[in-house]
Amino acid sequence: MDHNIYIARVPIIDKLYDVTKASNALGRLPPATLAAIEKLGADLAVARLRRGESQRTWAKRMGVSTPTLQRLEAGDPGVSLGILATALFLINRDGQLTKLAAPEADQGAIELSVQEASELGRRRAQASAEARLKRS
């Protein structure tokens, strides 16, 4: 897949947004993440085809151009999250978005919380032991 970096200035609500920052971030995506995005795009294409929809019709339903839909289905990581969410809506999978980064599923944060709690427990136990020694 061609991972060109797009540099443009796009007007958004009377301001200019420099997409070079986004392009820099896209250039740093890990290979496994890029592969997952490409698979997601391919899976969305399969979902569209299974429904017997052309790219032109599907793009119209999504409110995007056919080239944008083609970029989404090709796994272009520069396609906006809103466009992805619209595609997921069309196949009744947008409800899954609320679970992707849910705090209760954030294993890294949970592990950090456990480590912090364990450390706090050790410090408190040590402080209690020191206080008992001072009283003795």
Side-chain angles (χ1 to χ4, degrees):
M1 173 175 186
D2 183 17
H3 295 289
N4 290 331
I5 296 178
Y6 303 97
I7 299 175
R9 293 184 67 77
V10 181
I12 297 178
I13 311 175
D14 298 329
K15 293 186 181 180
L16 290 177
Y17 173 70
D18 189 351
V19 295
T20 56
K21 288 181 183 177
S23 298
N24 288 336
L26 295 177
R28 294 179 182 196
L29 285 172
T33 302
L34 283 172
I37 292 169
E38 288 172 1
K39 182 181 182 320
L40 177 59
D43 290 348
L44 288 169
V46 169
R48 175 184 55 77
L49 291 168
R50 290 177 73 189
R51 287 164 173 76
E53 297 272 358
S54 69
Q55 283 186 331
R56 184 175 176 207
T57 302
W58 202 253
K60 187 173 183 177
R61 289 184 64 199
M62 291 178 61
V64 300
S65 67
T66 302
T68 297
L69 176 59
Q70 290 169 340
R71 287 179 45 230
L72 174 67
E73 291 183 351
D76 181 340
V79 174
S80 82
L81 180 59
I83 292 169
L84 171 61
T86 301
L88 292 170
F89 169 78
L90 289 179
I91 63 169
N92 289 326
R93 295 300 307 260
D94 58 312
Q96 299 299 309
L97 290 171
T98 61
K99 299 174 186 173
L100 291 177
E104 61 272 13
D106 185 350
Q107 195 59 40
I110 291 168
E111 289 171 7
L112 260 176
S113 294
V114 169
Q115 289 173 355
E116 290 170 355
S118 296
E119 181 59 32
L120 178 61
R122 279 192 290 276
R123 286 195 312 264
R124 286 187 175 175
Q126 184 177 4
S128 294
E130 289 172 1
R132 280 193 302 275
L133 284 174
K134 284 183 181 178
R135 281 185 264 155
S136 302

